[in-house]
mmCIF file of all heavy atoms in Angstrom:
data_model
loop_
_atom_site.group_PDB
_atom_site.id
_atom_site.type_symbol
_atom_site.label_atom_id
_atom_site.label_comp_id
_atom_site.label_asym_id
_atom_site.label_seq_id
_atom_site.Cartn_x
_atom_site.Cartn_y
_atom_site.Cartn_z
ATOM 1 N N ALA A 1 7.702 4.318 -5.366
ATOM 2 C CA ALA A 1 8.876 4.475 -4.493
ATOM 3 C C ALA A 1 8.975 3.317 -3.512
ATOM 4 O O ALA A 1 10.068 2.834 -3.198
ATOM 5 C CB ALA A 1 8.787 5.803 -3.743
ATOM 6 N N ILE A 2 7.839 2.863 -3.021
ATOM 7 C CA ILE A 2 7.811 1.726 -2.097
ATOM 8 C C ILE A 2 8.303 0.463 -2.798
ATOM 9 O O ILE A 2 9.108 -0.305 -2.261
ATOM 10 C CB ILE A 2 6.384 1.527 -1.552
ATOM 11 C CG1 ILE A 2 5.994 2.694 -0.637
ATOM 12 C CG2 ILE A 2 6.259 0.205 -0.788
ATOM 13 C CD1 ILE A 2 4.520 2.753 -0.289
ATOM 14 N N CYS A 3 7.835 0.244 -4.023
ATOM 15 C CA CYS A 3 8.225 -0.954 -4.777
ATOM 16 C C CYS A 3 9.715 -0.968 -5.112
ATOM 17 O O CYS A 3 10.307 -2.038 -5.268
ATOM 18 C CB CYS A 3 7.406 -1.048 -6.064
ATOM 19 S SG CYS A 3 5.660 -1.410 -5.823
ATOM 20 N N GLU A 4 10.319 0.214 -5.225
ATOM 21 C CA GLU A 4 11.731 0.308 -5.613
ATOM 22 C C GLU A 4 12.687 0.191 -4.428
ATOM 23 O O GLU A 4 13.911 0.141 -4.623
ATOM 24 C CB GLU A 4 11.968 1.643 -6.328
ATOM 25 C CG GLU A 4 11.290 1.706 -7.694
ATOM 26 C CD GLU A 4 11.049 3.127 -8.180
ATOM 27 O OE1 GLU A 4 11.537 4.070 -7.503
ATOM 28 O OE2 GLU A 4 10.372 3.312 -9.197
ATOM 29 N N ALA A 5 12.163 0.135 -3.209
ATOM 30 C CA ALA A 5 13.018 0.043 -2.021
ATOM 31 C C ALA A 5 13.858 -1.234 -2.054
ATOM 32 O O ALA A 5 13.415 -2.281 -2.531
ATOM 33 C CB ALA A 5 12.174 0.090 -0.764
ATOM 34 N N GLU A 6 15.075 -1.132 -1.529
ATOM 35 C CA GLU A 6 16.016 -2.259 -1.578
ATOM 36 C C GLU A 6 15.926 -3.154 -0.354
ATOM 37 O O GLU A 6 16.145 -4.359 -0.443
ATOM 38 C CB GLU A 6 17.449 -1.710 -1.693
ATOM 39 C CG GLU A 6 17.680 -0.899 -2.958
ATOM 40 C CD GLU A 6 18.919 -0.043 -2.869
ATOM 41 O OE1 GLU A 6 19.443 0.131 -1.746
ATOM 42 O OE2 GLU A 6 19.369 0.465 -3.915
ATOM 43 N N ASN A 7 15.661 -2.567 0.803
ATOM 44 C CA ASN A 7 15.606 -3.326 2.053
ATOM 45 C C ASN A 7 14.411 -2.856 2.877
ATOM 46 O O ASN A 7 13.900 -1.756 2.669
ATOM 47 C CB ASN A 7 16.880 -3.113 2.881
ATOM 48 C CG ASN A 7 18.103 -3.661 2.196
ATOM 49 O OD1 ASN A 7 18.253 -4.864 2.036
ATOM 50 N ND2 ASN A 7 18.997 -2.777 1.770
ATOM 51 N N GLY A 8 14.022 -3.685 3.837
ATOM 52 C CA GLY A 8 12.963 -3.245 4.737
ATOM 53 C C GLY A 8 12.097 -4.388 5.237
ATOM 54 O O GLY A 8 12.201 -5.532 4.791
ATOM 55 N N SER A 9 11.245 -4.040 6.168
ATOM 56 C CA SER A 9 10.322 -5.003 6.753
ATOM 57 C C SER A 9 8.887 -4.537 6.532
ATOM 58 O O SER A 9 8.635 -3.368 6.215
ATOM 59 C CB SER A 9 10.590 -5.157 8.253
ATOM 60 O OG SER A 9 10.410 -3.918 8.922
ATOM 61 N N PHE A 10 7.950 -5.451 6.699
ATOM 62 C CA PHE A 10 6.547 -5.118 6.500
ATOM 63 C C PHE A 10 5.669 -5.911 7.466
ATOM 64 O O PHE A 10 6.062 -6.962 7.970
ATOM 65 C CB PHE A 10 6.122 -5.428 5.057
ATOM 66 C CG PHE A 10 6.094 -6.907 4.739
ATOM 67 C CD1 PHE A 10 4.955 -7.673 4.957
ATOM 68 C CD2 PHE A 10 7.224 -7.541 4.227
ATOM 69 C CE1 PHE A 10 4.932 -9.040 4.668
ATOM 70 C CE2 PHE A 10 7.215 -8.906 3.944
ATOM 71 C CZ PHE A 10 6.066 -9.644 4.162
ATOM 72 N N ARG A 11 4.484 -5.384 7.722
ATOM 73 C CA ARG A 11 3.456 -6.118 8.441
ATOM 74 C C ARG A 11 2.100 -5.589 8.013
ATOM 75 O O ARG A 11 1.957 -4.399 7.704
ATOM 76 C CB ARG A 11 3.612 -6.011 9.959
ATOM 77 C CG ARG A 11 3.351 -4.650 10.542
ATOM 78 C CD ARG A 11 3.679 -4.630 12.035
ATOM 79 N NE ARG A 11 3.364 -3.350 12.648
ATOM 80 C CZ ARG A 11 2.325 -3.120 13.450
ATOM 81 N NH1 ARG A 11 1.503 -4.116 13.736
ATOM 82 N NH2 ARG A 11 2.108 -1.924 13.969
ATOM 83 N N PHE A 12 1.136 -6.485 7.963
ATOM 84 C CA PHE A 12 -0.201 -6.106 7.534
ATOM 85 C C PHE A 12 -1.105 -5.981 8.753
ATOM 86 O O PHE A 12 -1.180 -6.877 9.590
ATOM 87 C CB PHE A 12 -0.767 -7.143 6.565
ATOM 88 C CG PHE A 12 -2.087 -6.751 5.971
ATOM 89 C CD1 PHE A 12 -2.148 -5.833 4.932
ATOM 90 C CD2 PHE A 12 -3.275 -7.277 6.451
ATOM 91 C CE1 PHE A 12 -3.357 -5.455 4.387
ATOM 92 C CE2 PHE A 12 -4.493 -6.914 5.913
ATOM 93 C CZ PHE A 12 -4.543 -6.003 4.875
ATOM 94 N N ILE A 13 -1.787 -4.829 8.848
ATOM 95 C CA ILE A 13 -2.703 -4.555 9.953
ATOM 96 C C ILE A 13 -4.121 -4.614 9.398
ATOM 97 O O ILE A 13 -4.523 -3.777 8.586
ATOM 98 C CB ILE A 13 -2.423 -3.174 10.570
ATOM 99 C CG1 ILE A 13 -0.959 -3.076 10.998
ATOM 100 C CG2 ILE A 13 -3.352 -2.928 11.753
ATOM 101 C CD1 ILE A 13 -0.540 -1.684 11.432
ATOM 102 N N SER A 14 -4.876 -5.595 9.808
ATOM 103 C CA SER A 14 -6.217 -5.808 9.260
ATOM 104 C C SER A 14 -7.201 -4.726 9.683
ATOM 105 O O SER A 14 -7.108 -4.166 10.781
ATOM 106 C CB SER A 14 -6.752 -7.175 9.701
ATOM 107 O OG SER A 14 -5.952 -8.219 9.187
ATOM 108 N N ASP A 15 -8.135 -4.444 8.778
ATOM 109 C CA ASP A 15 -9.291 -3.571 9.038
ATOM 110 C C ASP A 15 -8.913 -2.138 9.424
ATOM 111 O O ASP A 15 -9.679 -1.468 10.117
ATOM 112 C CB ASP A 15 -10.187 -4.183 10.120
ATOM 113 C CG ASP A 15 -10.701 -5.556 9.730
ATOM 114 O OD1 ASP A 15 -11.041 -5.729 8.544
ATOM 115 O OD2 ASP A 15 -10.732 -6.453 10.580
ATOM 116 N N GLU A 16 -7.748 -1.669 8.974
ATOM 117 C CA GLU A 16 -7.394 -0.268 9.184
ATOM 118 C C GLU A 16 -7.605 0.480 7.868
ATOM 119 O O GLU A 16 -7.038 0.123 6.847
ATOM 120 C CB GLU A 16 -5.951 -0.121 9.659
ATOM 121 C CG GLU A 16 -5.601 1.308 10.033
ATOM 122 C CD GLU A 16 -4.321 1.415 10.845
ATOM 123 O OE1 GLU A 16 -3.954 0.421 11.514
ATOM 124 O OE2 GLU A 16 -3.687 2.483 10.809
ATOM 125 N N ASN A 17 -8.434 1.513 7.908
ATOM 126 C CA ASN A 17 -8.833 2.219 6.695
ATOM 127 C C ASN A 17 -7.968 3.442 6.427
ATOM 128 O O ASN A 17 -7.448 4.074 7.347
ATOM 129 C CB ASN A 17 -10.299 2.638 6.784
ATOM 130 C CG ASN A 17 -11.234 1.447 6.868
ATOM 131 O OD1 ASN A 17 -11.040 0.449 6.175
ATOM 132 N ND2 ASN A 17 -12.243 1.529 7.722
ATOM 133 N N SER A 18 -7.861 3.792 5.151
ATOM 134 C CA SER A 18 -7.079 4.955 4.737
ATOM 135 C C SER A 18 -7.836 6.251 5.032
ATOM 136 O O SER A 18 -9.059 6.300 4.899
ATOM 137 C CB SER A 18 -6.780 4.874 3.241
ATOM 138 O OG SER A 18 -6.217 6.071 2.779
ATOM 139 N N PRO A 19 -7.098 7.318 5.398
ATOM 140 C CA PRO A 19 -7.754 8.609 5.614
ATOM 141 C C PRO A 19 -8.233 9.247 4.315
ATOM 142 O O PRO A 19 -9.035 10.170 4.325
ATOM 143 C CB PRO A 19 -6.646 9.453 6.259
ATOM 144 C CG PRO A 19 -5.369 8.830 5.783
ATOM 145 C CD PRO A 19 -5.663 7.362 5.706
ATOM 146 N N GLU A 20 -7.725 8.747 3.178
ATOM 147 C CA GLU A 20 -8.129 9.280 1.874
ATOM 148 C C GLU A 20 -7.894 8.229 0.809
ATOM 149 O O GLU A 20 -7.208 7.229 1.026
ATOM 150 C CB GLU A 20 -7.333 10.540 1.528
ATOM 151 C CG GLU A 20 -5.844 10.281 1.365
ATOM 152 C CD GLU A 20 -5.065 11.526 0.963
ATOM 153 O OE1 GLU A 20 -4.764 12.333 1.857
ATOM 154 O OE2 GLU A 20 -4.781 11.678 -0.243
ATOM 155 N N THR A 21 -8.492 8.448 -0.359
ATOM 156 C CA THR A 21 -8.264 7.584 -1.506
ATOM 157 C C THR A 21 -7.441 8.366 -2.529
ATOM 158 O O THR A 21 -7.886 9.403 -3.022
ATOM 159 C CB THR A 21 -9.600 7.138 -2.144
ATOM 160 O OG1 THR A 21 -10.338 6.372 -1.193
ATOM 161 C CG2 THR A 21 -9.344 6.291 -3.389
ATOM 162 N N ASN A 22 -6.230 7.892 -2.824
ATOM 163 C CA ASN A 22 -5.390 8.596 -3.795
ATOM 164 C C ASN A 22 -4.910 7.703 -4.928
ATOM 165 O O ASN A 22 -4.090 8.118 -5.753
ATOM 166 C CB ASN A 22 -4.211 9.285 -3.100
ATOM 167 C CG ASN A 22 -3.361 8.337 -2.272
ATOM 168 O OD1 ASN A 22 -3.141 7.196 -2.656
ATOM 169 N ND2 ASN A 22 -2.873 8.812 -1.127
ATOM 170 N N ILE A 23 -5.417 6.455 -4.982
ATOM 171 C CA ILE A 23 -5.129 5.560 -6.100
ATOM 172 C C ILE A 23 -6.455 5.001 -6.594
ATOM 173 O O ILE A 23 -7.189 4.364 -5.833
ATOM 174 C CB ILE A 23 -4.190 4.408 -5.676
ATOM 175 C CG1 ILE A 23 -2.808 4.955 -5.323
ATOM 176 C CG2 ILE A 23 -4.072 3.375 -6.798
ATOM 177 C CD1 ILE A 23 -1.805 3.910 -4.903
ATOM 178 N N ILE A 24 -6.765 5.243 -7.864
ATOM 179 C CA ILE A 24 -8.064 4.816 -8.390
ATOM 180 C C ILE A 24 -7.930 3.879 -9.591
ATOM 181 O O ILE A 24 -8.921 3.468 -10.160
ATOM 182 C CB ILE A 24 -8.924 6.037 -8.776
ATOM 183 C CG1 ILE A 24 -8.200 6.914 -9.789
ATOM 184 C CG2 ILE A 24 -9.323 6.837 -7.546
ATOM 185 C CD1 ILE A 24 -9.029 8.074 -10.315
ATOM 186 N N VAL A 25 -6.706 3.529 -9.977
ATOM 187 C CA VAL A 25 -6.518 2.609 -11.104
ATOM 188 C C VAL A 25 -6.696 1.177 -10.636
ATOM 189 O O VAL A 25 -6.642 0.873 -9.442
ATOM 190 C CB VAL A 25 -5.124 2.797 -11.745
ATOM 191 C CG1 VAL A 25 -4.952 4.204 -12.256
ATOM 192 C CG2 VAL A 25 -4.028 2.452 -10.746
ATOM 193 N N SER A 26 -6.911 0.278 -11.580
ATOM 194 C CA SER A 26 -7.094 -1.135 -11.242
ATOM 195 C C SER A 26 -5.787 -1.748 -10.755
ATOM 196 O O SER A 26 -4.699 -1.257 -11.064
ATOM 197 C CB SER A 26 -7.592 -1.901 -12.466
ATOM 198 O OG SER A 26 -6.572 -1.959 -13.462
ATOM 199 N N MET A 27 -5.903 -2.835 -10.010
ATOM 200 C CA MET A 27 -4.704 -3.518 -9.513
ATOM 201 C C MET A 27 -3.859 -4.039 -10.665
ATOM 202 O O MET A 27 -2.629 -3.956 -10.629
ATOM 203 C CB MET A 27 -5.106 -4.674 -8.590
ATOM 204 C CG MET A 27 -5.477 -4.256 -7.187
ATOM 205 S SD MET A 27 -4.038 -3.664 -6.238
ATOM 206 C CE MET A 27 -3.197 -5.218 -5.891
ATOM 207 N N ASP A 28 -4.495 -4.582 -11.689
ATOM 208 C CA ASP A 28 -3.748 -5.081 -12.848
ATOM 209 C C ASP A 28 -2.869 -3.979 -13.435
ATOM 210 O O ASP A 28 -1.679 -4.173 -13.675
ATOM 211 C CB ASP A 28 -4.714 -5.587 -13.924
ATOM 212 C CG ASP A 28 -5.272 -6.961 -13.601
ATOM 213 O OD1 ASP A 28 -4.584 -7.724 -12.907
ATOM 214 O OD2 ASP A 28 -6.375 -7.267 -14.057
ATOM 215 N N GLN A 29 -3.479 -2.825 -13.659
ATOM 216 C CA GLN A 29 -2.753 -1.711 -14.277
ATOM 217 C C GLN A 29 -1.655 -1.193 -13.359
ATOM 218 O O GLN A 29 -0.538 -0.916 -13.804
ATOM 219 C CB GLN A 29 -3.730 -0.585 -14.612
ATOM 220 C CG GLN A 29 -3.071 0.619 -15.280
ATOM 221 C CD GLN A 29 -4.055 1.731 -15.580
ATOM 222 O OE1 GLN A 29 -5.264 1.503 -15.619
ATOM 223 N NE2 GLN A 29 -3.551 2.935 -15.784
#
């Protein structure tokens, strides 16, 4: 859903960890 968005802004915040892991496939896949 994020990849399909048409407009928007982004920023990367370093060293902030996820509260959970919900994606386990490889980046390539």
